[in-house]
Amino acid sequence: MPKSLIQLQKQLQSLISPSPLQVINHPLFVEKNLTVSVKRDDLLHPHISGNKWRKLKFNLIEARKHGINHILSFGGAYSNHIHALAAAGHHFGFKTSAIIRGEPHYANNPTLKQAKKWGMQLHFVSRKEYRKRHEAEYLQALQDSYSDAFIVPEGGSNAFAIPGVSELCSELKVQCNKRIDHVVTATGSGGTLAGLIAGFSNDQQAVTTKITGIAVLKQADYLVEEVNNLLQQANIKEPTHWQLQTQFHGGGYAKVSPLLSEFCLQFEQQTQIPVEPIYTGKMFYALFELIKQDYFSTGDNIIALHTGGLQGLQGLASR
Ligand SMILES: Cc1ncc(COP(=O)(O)O)c(C=O)c1O
């Protein structure tokens, strides 16, 4: 094994320890006889937090295995993934580049300003060009232009994201002293949901755990196929222990209604757990609605995944 890879694996091991699991209380949980805990992946690392960390870990290892020291990815102007990738590059000695949807003036927003400080090269493209980000021809042209780069898709959701998110499931199985009936997560590009499904597919003991993704964007049914594709790549055969809830988009990606804002404020006051309204706030709102609708069975032990993304709050304030 190359020395630089061994060094990276050591760094990865020493920097980040399992995130805490925190039980939260609410009269609704008592009424419905449910236990709800939050897997605090927002506490994994000050900058490479949440599911971004989980999804990037094995991408970094894979790149280094091949002696590649440059990671290129895609994102919106306030992307948590881009912010985390820039931080990871800075920490672990990778050059980073990003194809950003939108105009160059976005480089002055808090997310991209910080990414640049960490050494990331930003390339702004039109929305029309950005739409090509999954097309083989476009990706090949990009690879030709950035011949030394390891290309990671938007959101970090590829086959290498799966083992990273699955590690979280192994942590949960050790941390939980009773059966886990349900895991709930916010869903954007689908890698986190796929990783959770894979992580709870592996052994007989946990096969009863159901996974629910809360889609944060409108018309998200296409994500079912995306998640299935990722699972296929991970050799997980047609799992049925999962669902994608698509009715909680609240008007679309990054749309924040007064109701959602108020919910986030109250949630923070009651639990002391910080959330932002684009992913985690929407997910917790949906969780409460699903509980009211008796989506869960009495006695269920539910884990809600805090996927981080709190850096986005600064961007939201500046918009
Ligand atoms: C804070 C946060 N939560 C959830 C998600 C959704 O995860 P995924 O894109 O893997 O579905 C994202 C996007 O990566 C995110 O930034």
mmCIF file of all heavy atoms in Angstrom, residues 51-52 55 80-81 154-155 157 185-193 216 276 279-280 307-310, ligand 1:
data_model
loop_
_atom_site.group_PDB
_atom_site.id
_atom_site.type_symbol
_atom_site.label_atom_id
_atom_site.label_comp_id
_atom_site.label_asym_id
_atom_site.label_seq_id
_atom_site.Cartn_x
_atom_site.Cartn_y
_atom_site.Cartn_z
ATOM 1 N N ASN A 51 -23.503 14.095 6.442
ATOM 2 C CA ASN A 51 -23.436 13.087 5.377
ATOM 3 C C ASN A 51 -22.345 13.409 4.351
ATOM 4 O O ASN A 51 -21.881 12.531 3.646
ATOM 5 C CB ASN A 51 -24.799 12.950 4.692
ATOM 6 C CG ASN A 51 -25.262 14.251 4.073
ATOM 7 O OD1 ASN A 51 -24.779 15.332 4.405
ATOM 8 N ND2 ASN A 51 -26.200 14.154 3.162
ATOM 9 N N LYS A 52 -21.918 14.693 4.287
ATOM 10 C CA LYS A 52 -20.861 15.061 3.327
ATOM 11 C C LYS A 52 -19.597 14.306 3.669
ATOM 12 O O LYS A 52 -18.917 13.779 2.814
ATOM 13 C CB LYS A 52 -20.574 16.566 3.388
ATOM 14 C CG LYS A 52 -21.356 17.385 2.422
ATOM 15 C CD LYS A 52 -22.831 17.359 2.693
ATOM 16 C CE LYS A 52 -23.151 17.863 4.061
ATOM 17 N NZ LYS A 52 -24.545 17.682 4.454
ATOM 18 N N LYS A 55 -19.999 10.631 2.787
ATOM 19 C CA LYS A 55 -19.972 10.341 1.348
ATOM 20 C C LYS A 55 -18.600 10.580 0.728
ATOM 21 O O LYS A 55 -18.239 9.954 -0.254
ATOM 22 C CB LYS A 55 -21.037 11.195 0.624
ATOM 23 C CG LYS A 55 -22.461 10.772 0.974
ATOM 24 C CD LYS A 55 -23.495 11.421 0.084
ATOM 25 C CE LYS A 55 -23.762 12.847 0.431
ATOM 26 N NZ LYS A 55 -24.835 13.440 -0.378
ATOM 27 N N ASN A 80 -23.521 22.614 0.433
ATOM 28 C CA ASN A 80 -22.827 22.041 1.598
ATOM 29 C C ASN A 80 -21.729 21.091 1.138
ATOM 30 O O ASN A 80 -20.666 21.004 1.751
ATOM 31 C CB ASN A 80 -23.818 21.241 2.456
ATOM 32 C CG ASN A 80 -24.853 22.125 3.104
ATOM 33 O OD1 ASN A 80 -24.548 23.222 3.550
ATOM 34 N ND2 ASN A 80 -26.090 21.651 3.150
ATOM 35 N N HIS A 81 -22.017 20.361 0.062
ATOM 36 C CA HIS A 81 -21.055 19.385 -0.456
ATOM 37 C C HIS A 81 -19.766 20.080 -0.925
ATOM 38 O O HIS A 81 -18.656 19.634 -0.617
ATOM 39 C CB HIS A 81 -21.727 18.602 -1.594
ATOM 40 C CG HIS A 81 -20.779 17.857 -2.467
ATOM 41 N ND1 HIS A 81 -20.009 16.807 -2.003
ATOM 42 C CD2 HIS A 81 -20.456 18.008 -3.779
ATOM 43 C CE1 HIS A 81 -19.266 16.346 -2.998
ATOM 44 N NE2 HIS A 81 -19.509 17.057 -4.078
ATOM 45 N N GLU A 154 -22.299 15.492 -8.268
ATOM 46 C CA GLU A 154 -22.985 16.449 -7.393
ATOM 47 C C GLU A 154 -23.428 15.747 -6.101
ATOM 48 O O GLU A 154 -23.923 14.615 -6.147
ATOM 49 C CB GLU A 154 -24.220 16.974 -8.131
ATOM 50 C CG GLU A 154 -25.011 17.994 -7.362
ATOM 51 C CD GLU A 154 -26.269 18.377 -8.133
ATOM 52 O OE1 GLU A 154 -27.065 17.475 -8.453
ATOM 53 O OE2 GLU A 154 -26.434 19.549 -8.415
ATOM 54 N N GLY A 155 -23.249 16.399 -4.994
ATOM 55 C CA GLY A 155 -23.702 15.840 -3.714
ATOM 56 C C GLY A 155 -22.820 14.706 -3.215
ATOM 57 O O GLY A 155 -23.053 14.154 -2.148
ATOM 58 N N SER A 157 -22.752 11.793 -4.366
ATOM 59 C CA SER A 157 -23.542 10.556 -4.376
ATOM 60 C C SER A 157 -23.127 9.620 -5.504
ATOM 61 O O SER A 157 -23.664 9.673 -6.608
ATOM 62 C CB SER A 157 -25.037 10.890 -4.473
ATOM 63 O OG SER A 157 -25.464 11.460 -3.261
ATOM 64 N N THR A 185 -34.035 10.188 7.056
ATOM 65 C CA THR A 185 -33.009 11.139 6.599
ATOM 66 C C THR A 185 -33.579 12.102 5.563
ATOM 67 O O THR A 185 -34.527 11.772 4.857
ATOM 68 C CB THR A 185 -31.806 10.383 5.972
ATOM 69 O OG1 THR A 185 -30.777 11.330 5.667
ATOM 70 C CG2 THR A 185 -32.168 9.646 4.691
ATOM 71 N N ALA A 186 -32.956 13.269 5.471
ATOM 72 C CA ALA A 186 -33.279 14.188 4.374
ATOM 73 C C ALA A 186 -32.641 13.647 3.093
ATOM 74 O O ALA A 186 -31.557 13.068 3.138
ATOM 75 C CB ALA A 186 -32.706 15.572 4.680
ATOM 76 N N THR A 187 -33.336 13.841 1.954
ATOM 77 C CA THR A 187 -32.815 13.309 0.687
ATOM 78 C C THR A 187 -32.755 14.391 -0.382
ATOM 79 O O THR A 187 -33.744 15.083 -0.635
ATOM 80 C CB THR A 187 -33.705 12.136 0.204
ATOM 81 O OG1 THR A 187 -33.669 11.124 1.212
ATOM 82 C CG2 THR A 187 -33.222 11.544 -1.104
ATOM 83 N N GLY A 188 -31.544 14.516 -0.979
ATOM 84 C CA GLY A 188 -31.353 15.484 -2.062
ATOM 85 C C GLY A 188 -30.936 14.770 -3.329
ATOM 86 O O GLY A 188 -31.676 14.689 -4.306
ATOM 87 N N SER A 189 -29.726 14.191 -3.307
ATOM 88 C CA SER A 189 -29.270 13.449 -4.493
ATOM 89 C C SER A 189 -29.364 11.933 -4.298
ATOM 90 O O SER A 189 -29.164 11.187 -5.254
ATOM 91 C CB SER A 189 -27.832 13.854 -4.839
ATOM 92 O OG SER A 189 -26.971 13.647 -3.735
ATOM 93 N N GLY A 190 -29.639 11.474 -3.102
ATOM 94 C CA GLY A 190 -29.977 10.061 -2.880
ATOM 95 C C GLY A 190 -28.864 9.186 -2.308
ATOM 96 O O GLY A 190 -29.127 8.062 -1.883
ATOM 97 N N GLY A 191 -27.632 9.685 -2.260
ATOM 98 C CA GLY A 191 -26.520 8.849 -1.792
ATOM 99 C C GLY A 191 -26.649 8.449 -0.327
ATOM 100 O O GLY A 191 -26.315 7.317 0.049
ATOM 101 N N THR A 192 -27.125 9.358 0.476
ATOM 102 C CA THR A 192 -27.251 9.060 1.912
ATOM 103 C C THR A 192 -28.319 7.993 2.134
ATOM 104 O O THR A 192 -28.110 7.028 2.878
ATOM 105 C CB THR A 192 -27.611 10.352 2.688
ATOM 106 O OG1 THR A 192 -26.670 11.357 2.311
ATOM 107 C CG2 THR A 192 -27.574 10.133 4.175
ATOM 108 N N LEU A 193 -29.439 8.169 1.451
ATOM 109 C CA LEU A 193 -30.524 7.185 1.573
ATOM 110 C C LEU A 193 -30.033 5.810 1.107
ATOM 111 O O LEU A 193 -30.219 4.798 1.803
ATOM 112 C CB LEU A 193 -31.716 7.665 0.729
ATOM 113 C CG LEU A 193 -32.954 6.782 0.681
ATOM 114 C CD1 LEU A 193 -33.491 6.490 2.076
ATOM 115 C CD2 LEU A 193 -34.047 7.450 -0.158
ATOM 116 N N VAL A 216 -36.308 16.717 -0.317
ATOM 117 C CA VAL A 216 -36.368 18.151 -0.023
ATOM 118 C C VAL A 216 -36.675 18.967 -1.283
ATOM 119 O O VAL A 216 -36.780 20.179 -1.219
ATOM 120 C CB VAL A 216 -35.053 18.655 0.634
ATOM 121 C CG1 VAL A 216 -34.782 17.959 1.949
ATOM 122 C CG2 VAL A 216 -33.867 18.518 -0.322
ATOM 123 N N GLU A 276 -31.086 23.626 10.052
ATOM 124 C CA GLU A 276 -31.309 24.642 9.007
ATOM 125 C C GLU A 276 -32.536 24.163 8.217
ATOM 126 O O GLU A 276 -32.833 22.970 8.204
ATOM 127 C CB GLU A 276 -30.053 24.833 8.141
ATOM 128 C CG GLU A 276 -29.350 23.551 7.703
ATOM 129 C CD GLU A 276 -30.168 22.751 6.743
ATOM 130 O OE1 GLU A 276 -30.666 23.325 5.777
ATOM 131 O OE2 GLU A 276 -30.305 21.525 6.966
ATOM 132 N N TYR A 279 -32.540 21.248 4.652
ATOM 133 C CA TYR A 279 -32.469 19.780 4.757
ATOM 134 C C TYR A 279 -33.005 19.275 6.102
ATOM 135 O O TYR A 279 -34.033 18.621 6.173
ATOM 136 C CB TYR A 279 -31.035 19.285 4.558
ATOM 137 C CG TYR A 279 -30.505 19.472 3.162
ATOM 138 C CD1 TYR A 279 -29.682 20.543 2.835
ATOM 139 C CD2 TYR A 279 -30.812 18.556 2.157
ATOM 140 C CE1 TYR A 279 -29.187 20.708 1.555
ATOM 141 C CE2 TYR A 279 -30.312 18.722 0.876
ATOM 142 C CZ TYR A 279 -29.498 19.795 0.573
ATOM 143 O OH TYR A 279 -29.016 19.948 -0.695
ATOM 144 N N THR A 280 -32.237 19.579 7.171
ATOM 145 C CA THR A 280 -32.570 18.938 8.452
ATOM 146 C C THR A 280 -33.883 19.461 9.037
ATOM 147 O O THR A 280 -34.659 18.687 9.603
ATOM 148 C CB THR A 280 -31.423 19.141 9.467
ATOM 149 O OG1 THR A 280 -31.038 20.516 9.469
ATOM 150 C CG2 THR A 280 -30.233 18.284 9.099
ATOM 151 N N THR A 307 -27.927 15.455 9.280
ATOM 152 C CA THR A 307 -26.946 15.395 8.195
ATOM 153 C C THR A 307 -26.062 16.647 8.117
ATOM 154 O O THR A 307 -25.367 16.854 7.112
ATOM 155 C CB THR A 307 -27.675 15.178 6.857
ATOM 156 O OG1 THR A 307 -28.825 16.036 6.833
ATOM 157 C CG2 THR A 307 -28.103 13.737 6.679
ATOM 158 N N GLY A 308 -26.108 17.477 9.142
ATOM 159 C CA GLY A 308 -25.222 18.662 9.172
ATOM 160 C C GLY A 308 -25.761 19.772 8.292
ATOM 161 O O GLY A 308 -26.963 20.055 8.300
ATOM 162 N N GLY A 309 -24.868 20.416 7.546
ATOM 163 C CA GLY A 309 -25.306 21.467 6.611
ATOM 164 C C GLY A 309 -25.543 22.811 7.266
ATOM 165 O O GLY A 309 -26.120 23.715 6.654
ATOM 166 N N LEU A 310 -25.060 22.975 8.492
ATOM 167 C CA LEU A 310 -25.359 24.223 9.211
ATOM 168 C C LEU A 310 -24.620 25.418 8.622
ATOM 169 O O LEU A 310 -25.016 26.558 8.835
ATOM 170 C CB LEU A 310 -25.058 24.063 10.711
ATOM 171 C CG LEU A 310 -25.935 22.995 11.385
ATOM 172 C CD1 LEU A 310 -25.400 22.646 12.769
ATOM 173 C CD2 LEU A 310 -27.384 23.445 11.482
HETATM 174 C C1 LIG B 1 -27.391 18.893 5.117
HETATM 175 C C2 LIG B 1 -27.760 17.912 4.079
HETATM 176 N N1 LIG B 1 -28.656 16.973 4.385
HETATM 177 C C3 LIG B 1 -29.055 16.068 3.478
HETATM 178 C C4 LIG B 1 -28.567 16.072 2.193
HETATM 179 C C5 LIG B 1 -29.082 15.081 1.212
HETATM 180 O O1 LIG B 1 -28.215 14.025 1.037
HETATM 181 P P1 LIG B 1 -28.183 13.237 -0.348
HETATM 182 O O2 LIG B 1 -27.757 14.243 -1.386
HETATM 183 O O3 LIG B 1 -27.187 12.176 -0.137
HETATM 184 O O4 LIG B 1 -29.544 12.747 -0.597
HETATM 185 C C6 LIG B 1 -27.600 17.019 1.832
HETATM 186 C C7 LIG B 1 -26.961 16.996 0.518
HETATM 187 O O5 LIG B 1 -25.894 16.393 0.417
HETATM 188 C C8 LIG B 1 -27.199 17.973 2.786
HETATM 189 O O6 LIG B 1 -26.309 18.934 2.491
#
